[in-house]
Amino acid sequence: MPRKITGPEIERLIQLLARLPGLGPRSARRATLQLVKKREQLLVPLTEALARVRDTVKICSCCGNVDTADPCAVCTDPTRDPSVIVVVEDVSDLWALERSGAVSARYHVLGGVLSPLDGVGPDDLSIAGLVDRAADPAVREVILAVNATVDGQTTAHYVTDRLRDLPVKVSRLAHGVPVGGELDYLDEGTLAAAIRARTPF
Amino acid sequence: MPRKITGPEIERLIQLLARLPGLGPRSARRATLQLVKKREQLLVPLTEALARVRDTVKICSCCGNVDTADPCAVCTDPTRDPSVIVVVEDVSDLWALERSGAVSARYHVLGGVLSPLDGVGPDDLSIAGLVDRAADPAVREVILAVNATVDGQTTAHYVTDRLRDLPVKVSRLAHGVPVGGELDYLDEGTLAAAIRARTPF
């Protein structure tokens, strides 16, 4: 049994921090020491920020975004095009698209992808809610912004199928060479897709 | 100006998490989303653990360790050899040595190393406290377990000098090949030290 070198409160904090993505046991220890050393600048404000998020955070009942208001800031933003819904797997994808500034539309977070191996079926995702929203006559287009993985594409096909009877256009993200990417490092599938979808110069 | 996609409480949490060592802005966002998704399993316990550490953590007035008691669990452990003080730069080094289980002694955390370039002088470190402790007749040896860096070794020399008039033995960690290390990847200084300090097989 290792000897006791610090209090159980500190051990507990290390254990919990180690469960955050990007932190392992070693970096959780370093983070804990940093917190203790920077008590006023870091530990106290972080505790307060976490408590505030704990007390105020909500999942938007319309789109699935994370916010302190329900409906969220995106759903209630009057400057966004209400005729386009961008479907994403996860809130992190919504945030990534917003950072790109590429689209000014509403979103719909599926909350995952279909994955029979992991036991994730259509009822585990927010697909019925999407169909309801897409049935609104104001909606003209649904952009499927799911990951270019096998599960993501399977999910895209399934969602497209569920939307078939509605008078909405269903589109998906283009495949191609990432901006700044080097051909030598790309896989054959991406290169083939980029050639097929080539555009006039 | 980027559009508002989430509440200020969540943005604030992302900013604070990004200041932890090992987390950048991107991983802080991922960590925040994980916290929000795992509200009961992660967000609530982590908030509580941080608040408890904030309310209970102390720096040991004797050795400088971080604990919820003062003197700390190491200083008050009656099973440790009171005649040896292991001098380390930082609490993380104390924890690392304890994990190794290599020594059962008391510690003394200097709180850094002498670094004229960074404006760190002897008075910024806990050196006077170490000299006081080493003057106790019960103390027979001081092990300087500082990092094998230029600043660490400078600090070791300075501390040795301050302890010169006391009847204590001052030792330092051995230099050599790390266990599991490959010679081809080691620097010349380490190899030369390992040859010099070779031991009979």
Side-chain angles (χ1 to χ4, degrees):
Chain A
M1 197 195 77
R3 289 167 155 206
K4 195 174 166 307
I5 51 169
T6 192
E9 294 87 352
I10 295 166
E11 290 295 342
R12 169 100 177 123
L13 179 57
I14 294 172
Q15 277 171 18
L16 285 167
L17 282 176
R19 286 168 54 192
L20 291 180
L23 287 180
R26 186 178 288 263
S27 42
R29 268 196 301 270
R30 284 176 54 219
T32 301
L33 278 175
Q34 186 82 331
L35 282 164
V36 170
K37 279 187 205 166
K38 300 196 172 175
R39 190 191 145 84
E40 298 307 321
Q41 305 100 295
L42 201 51
L43 174 56
V44 172
L46 182 60
T47 309
E48 197 179 314
L50 271 172
R52 291 199 63 167
V53 166
R54 179 195 62 195
D55 296 339
T56 60
V57 77
K58 296 178 187 70
I59 306 296
C60 176
S61 57
C62 177
C63 76
N65 187 18
V66 164
D67 198 354
T68 46
D70 180 16
C72 73
V74 172
C75 284
T76 54
D77 181 350
T79 69
R80 289 171 186 270
D81 183 352
S83 71
V84 178
I85 299 176
V86 181
V87 178
V88 291
E89 293 179 19
D90 199 279
V91 178
S92 55
D93 302 325
L94 188 167
W95 290 7
L97 283 167
E98 279 296 306
R99 281 199 300 281
S100 79
V103 67
S104 171
R106 304 281 161 78
Y107 289 86
H108 193 84
V109 179
L110 292 176
V113 280
L114 296 176
S115 176
L117 283 177
D118 297 326
V120 180
D123 295 339
D124 300 311
L125 305 180
S126 170
I127 293 177
L130 172 64
V131 175
D132 281 350
R133 289 180 68 192
D136 184 325
V139 175
R140 289 183 295 106
E141 181 173 5
V142 172
I143 303 177
L144 299 174
V146 291
N147 290 335
T149 55
V150 171
D151 285 347
Q153 298 306 307
T154 308
T155 310
H157 280 117
Y158 179 84
V159 170
T160 308
D161 206 51
R162 288 281 296 267
L163 295 173
R164 199 170 31 191
D165 297 334
L166 296 175
V168 290
K169 183 177 149 195
V170 179
S171 56
R172 61 169 194 170
L173 298 185
H175 287 311
V177 180
V179 175
E182 295 183 48
L183 299 196
D184 196 18
Y185 291 95
L186 287 173
D187 63 299
E188 295 77 13
T190 302
L191 289 174
I195 290 279
R196 276 198 307 274
R198 65 192 178 278
T199 53
F201 194 59
Chain B
M1 198 192 78
R3 289 167 154 206
K4 195 174 164 310
I5 50 171
T6 192
E9 294 87 352
I10 295 164
E11 290 294 343
R12 170 101 177 122
L13 178 57
I14 295 171
Q15 278 170 17
L16 285 168
L17 283 175
R19 286 168 55 192
L20 291 180
L23 287 179
R26 185 178 288 264
S27 43
R29 269 198 298 270
R30 283 176 54 221
T32 301
L33 279 174
Q34 187 83 331
L35 282 164
V36 169
K37 278 187 203 164
K38 301 197 170 174
R39 191 191 145 83
E40 298 308 322
Q41 306 99 297
L42 200 51
L43 175 56
V44 172
L46 182 60
T47 309
E48 196 179 316
L50 271 172
R52 291 199 63 167
V53 167
R54 180 197 59 195
D55 297 340
T56 60
V57 76
K58 294 178 188 69
I59 307 295
C60 176
S61 56
C62 176
C63 76
N65 186 19
V66 163
D67 198 353
T68 47
D70 180 15
C72 73
V74 173
C75 284
T76 54
D77 182 349
T79 68
R80 288 172 186 268
D81 182 353
S83 71
V84 178
I85 298 177
V86 181
V87 177
V88 292
E89 294 180 17
D90 198 281
V91 178
S92 54
D93 302 324
L94 189 166
W95 291 6
L97 284 168
E98 279 297 305
R99 283 199 299 282
S100 80
V103 66
S104 172
R106 304 281 160 81
Y107 289 87
H108 193 85
V109 179
L110 292 176
V113 279
L114 295 176
S115 177
L117 283 177
D118 297 328
V120 181
D123 295 339
D124 300 312
L125 305 180
S126 172
I127 294 178
L130 171 64
V131 175
D132 281 351
R133 289 180 68 193
D136 184 326
V139 174
R140 287 184 295 105
E141 181 173 6
V142 172
I143 303 177
L144 299 174
V146 292
N147 290 334
T149 56
V150 172
D151 284 348
Q153 296 308 307
T154 307
T155 309
H157 280 119
Y158 180 83
V159 170
T160 308
D161 206 50
R162 289 281 296 267
L163 297 172
R164 201 170 28 192
D165 298 333
L166 295 176
V168 289
K169 183 175 149 198
V170 179
S171 57
R172 61 168 192 170
L173 298 185
H175 287 311
V177 180
V179 175
E182 295 184 49
L183 299 197
D184 196 18
Y185 291 94
L186 287 173
D187 63 296
E188 294 78 13
T190 302
L191 289 175
I195 290 281
R196 276 198 305 274
R198 66 192 177 278
T199 52
F201 195 58

mmCIF file of all heavy atoms in Angstrom, chain B residues 108-127:
data_model
loop_
_atom_site.group_PDB
_atom_site.id
_atom_site.type_symbol
_atom_site.label_atom_id
_atom_site.label_comp_id
_atom_site.label_asym_id
_atom_site.label_seq_id
_atom_site.Cartn_x
_atom_site.Cartn_y
_atom_site.Cartn_z
ATOM 1 N N HIS B 108 11.942 18.297 2.149
ATOM 2 C CA HIS B 108 11.920 19.747 2.242
ATOM 3 C C HIS B 108 11.769 20.305 0.829
ATOM 4 O O HIS B 108 12.604 20.046 -0.037
ATOM 5 C CB HIS B 108 13.190 20.291 2.909
ATOM 6 C CG HIS B 108 13.059 21.728 3.284
ATOM 7 N ND1 HIS B 108 12.494 22.137 4.467
ATOM 8 C CD2 HIS B 108 13.335 22.864 2.605
ATOM 9 C CE1 HIS B 108 12.464 23.446 4.523
ATOM 10 N NE2 HIS B 108 12.963 23.916 3.394
ATOM 11 N N VAL B 109 10.695 21.023 0.599
ATOM 12 C CA VAL B 109 10.411 21.563 -0.728
ATOM 13 C C VAL B 109 10.985 22.976 -0.817
ATOM 14 O O VAL B 109 10.588 23.858 -0.046
ATOM 15 C CB VAL B 109 8.890 21.596 -0.990
ATOM 16 C CG1 VAL B 109 8.608 22.181 -2.373
ATOM 17 C CG2 VAL B 109 8.278 20.203 -0.857
ATOM 18 N N LEU B 110 11.931 23.178 -1.751
ATOM 19 C CA LEU B 110 12.553 24.497 -1.880
ATOM 20 C C LEU B 110 11.590 25.506 -2.504
ATOM 21 O O LEU B 110 11.675 26.703 -2.250
ATOM 22 C CB LEU B 110 13.810 24.404 -2.749
ATOM 23 C CG LEU B 110 14.992 23.641 -2.162
ATOM 24 C CD1 LEU B 110 16.117 23.570 -3.188
ATOM 25 C CD2 LEU B 110 15.480 24.329 -0.892
ATOM 26 N N GLY B 111 10.701 25.024 -3.347
ATOM 27 C CA GLY B 111 9.780 25.935 -4.021
ATOM 28 C C GLY B 111 10.374 26.548 -5.278
ATOM 29 O O GLY B 111 9.936 27.608 -5.719
ATOM 30 N N GLY B 112 11.356 25.876 -5.872
ATOM 31 C CA GLY B 112 11.961 26.386 -7.103
ATOM 32 C C GLY B 112 13.460 26.184 -7.076
ATOM 33 O O GLY B 112 13.988 25.441 -6.236
ATOM 34 N N VAL B 113 14.156 26.818 -8.015
ATOM 35 C CA VAL B 113 15.618 26.762 -8.064
ATOM 36 C C VAL B 113 16.143 28.174 -8.204
ATOM 37 O O VAL B 113 15.432 29.074 -8.669
ATOM 38 C CB VAL B 113 16.118 25.916 -9.253
ATOM 39 C CG1 VAL B 113 16.067 24.441 -8.929
ATOM 40 C CG2 VAL B 113 15.352 26.222 -10.516
ATOM 41 N N LEU B 114 17.398 28.350 -7.803
ATOM 42 C CA LEU B 114 18.055 29.644 -8.009
ATOM 43 C C LEU B 114 18.136 29.897 -9.506
ATOM 44 O O LEU B 114 18.532 29.024 -10.272
ATOM 45 C CB LEU B 114 19.477 29.609 -7.435
ATOM 46 C CG LEU B 114 19.585 29.439 -5.923
ATOM 47 C CD1 LEU B 114 21.056 29.337 -5.539
ATOM 48 C CD2 LEU B 114 18.927 30.608 -5.216
ATOM 49 N N SER B 115 17.720 31.080 -9.921
ATOM 50 C CA SER B 115 17.758 31.387 -11.342
ATOM 51 C C SER B 115 17.914 32.896 -11.488
ATOM 52 O O SER B 115 16.924 33.622 -11.532
ATOM 53 C CB SER B 115 16.474 30.895 -12.011
ATOM 54 O OG SER B 115 16.470 31.257 -13.364
ATOM 55 N N PRO B 116 19.182 33.376 -11.542
ATOM 56 C CA PRO B 116 19.410 34.832 -11.605
ATOM 57 C C PRO B 116 18.666 35.453 -12.793
ATOM 58 O O PRO B 116 18.152 36.563 -12.685
ATOM 59 C CB PRO B 116 20.918 34.942 -11.777
ATOM 60 C CG PRO B 116 21.481 33.662 -11.277
ATOM 61 C CD PRO B 116 20.448 32.624 -11.551
ATOM 62 N N LEU B 117 18.613 34.745 -13.916
ATOM 63 C CA LEU B 117 17.949 35.298 -15.096
ATOM 64 C C LEU B 117 16.469 35.559 -14.838
ATOM 65 O O LEU B 117 15.891 36.509 -15.352
ATOM 66 C CB LEU B 117 18.091 34.357 -16.287
ATOM 67 C CG LEU B 117 19.460 34.369 -16.975
ATOM 68 C CD1 LEU B 117 19.485 33.346 -18.091
ATOM 69 C CD2 LEU B 117 19.742 35.761 -17.528
ATOM 70 N N ASP B 118 15.826 34.673 -14.047
ATOM 71 C CA ASP B 118 14.411 34.863 -13.741
ATOM 72 C C ASP B 118 14.221 35.659 -12.449
ATOM 73 O O ASP B 118 13.094 35.790 -11.964
ATOM 74 C CB ASP B 118 13.704 33.508 -13.609
ATOM 75 C CG ASP B 118 13.731 32.742 -14.922
ATOM 76 O OD1 ASP B 118 13.702 33.400 -15.978
ATOM 77 O OD2 ASP B 118 13.797 31.501 -14.882
ATOM 78 N N GLY B 119 15.330 36.155 -11.880
ATOM 79 C CA GLY B 119 15.212 36.960 -10.666
ATOM 80 C C GLY B 119 14.885 36.144 -9.431
ATOM 81 O O GLY B 119 14.340 36.670 -8.465
ATOM 82 N N VAL B 120 15.237 34.846 -9.427
ATOM 83 C CA VAL B 120 14.986 34.015 -8.248
ATOM 84 C C VAL B 120 16.283 33.903 -7.448
ATOM 85 O O VAL B 120 17.256 33.301 -7.920
ATOM 86 C CB VAL B 120 14.487 32.609 -8.644
ATOM 87 C CG1 VAL B 120 14.213 31.776 -7.391
ATOM 88 C CG2 VAL B 120 13.239 32.703 -9.506
ATOM 89 N N GLY B 121 16.314 34.503 -6.279
ATOM 90 C CA GLY B 121 17.486 34.452 -5.412
ATOM 91 C C GLY B 121 17.241 33.554 -4.223
ATOM 92 O O GLY B 121 16.147 32.999 -4.068
ATOM 93 N N PRO B 122 18.250 33.395 -3.341
ATOM 94 C CA PRO B 122 18.125 32.495 -2.184
ATOM 95 C C PRO B 122 16.926 32.831 -1.292
ATOM 96 O O PRO B 122 16.323 31.926 -0.716
ATOM 97 C CB PRO B 122 19.442 32.709 -1.444
ATOM 98 C CG PRO B 122 20.398 33.192 -2.477
ATOM 99 C CD PRO B 122 19.597 33.988 -3.449
ATOM 100 N N ASP B 123 16.596 34.132 -1.187
ATOM 101 C CA ASP B 123 15.506 34.497 -0.292
ATOM 102 C C ASP B 123 14.139 34.120 -0.843
ATOM 103 O O ASP B 123 13.141 34.134 -0.118
ATOM 104 C CB ASP B 123 15.541 36.008 -0.010
ATOM 105 C CG ASP B 123 16.807 36.393 0.755
ATOM 106 O OD1 ASP B 123 17.398 35.487 1.391
ATOM 107 O OD2 ASP B 123 17.198 37.568 0.698
ATOM 108 N N ASP B 124 14.075 33.806 -2.136
ATOM 109 C CA ASP B 124 12.793 33.404 -2.728
ATOM 110 C C ASP B 124 12.523 31.920 -2.509
ATOM 111 O O ASP B 124 11.429 31.443 -2.778
ATOM 112 C CB ASP B 124 12.798 33.703 -4.232
ATOM 113 C CG ASP B 124 12.998 35.192 -4.496
ATOM 114 O OD1 ASP B 124 12.294 35.984 -3.853
ATOM 115 O OD2 ASP B 124 13.871 35.542 -5.312
ATOM 116 N N LEU B 125 13.542 31.199 -2.073
ATOM 117 C CA LEU B 125 13.378 29.758 -1.852
ATOM 118 C C LEU B 125 13.368 29.469 -0.353
ATOM 119 O O LEU B 125 13.821 30.287 0.443
ATOM 120 C CB LEU B 125 14.517 28.985 -2.510
ATOM 121 C CG LEU B 125 14.739 29.245 -3.996
ATOM 122 C CD1 LEU B 125 15.893 28.400 -4.509
ATOM 123 C CD2 LEU B 125 13.466 28.940 -4.781
ATOM 124 N N SER B 126 12.882 28.308 0.013
ATOM 125 C CA SER B 126 12.797 27.935 1.429
ATOM 126 C C SER B 126 14.115 27.321 1.880
ATOM 127 O O SER B 126 14.189 26.149 2.248
ATOM 128 C CB SER B 126 11.637 26.959 1.598
ATOM 129 O OG SER B 126 11.628 26.435 2.889
ATOM 130 N N ILE B 127 15.192 28.130 1.832
ATOM 131 C CA ILE B 127 16.523 27.618 2.192
ATOM 132 C C ILE B 127 16.805 27.833 3.678
ATOM 133 O O ILE B 127 17.340 26.949 4.356
ATOM 134 C CB ILE B 127 17.607 28.265 1.304
ATOM 135 C CG1 ILE B 127 17.402 27.791 -0.149
ATOM 136 C CG2 ILE B 127 19.005 27.887 1.800
ATOM 137 C CD1 ILE B 127 18.362 28.375 -1.146
#
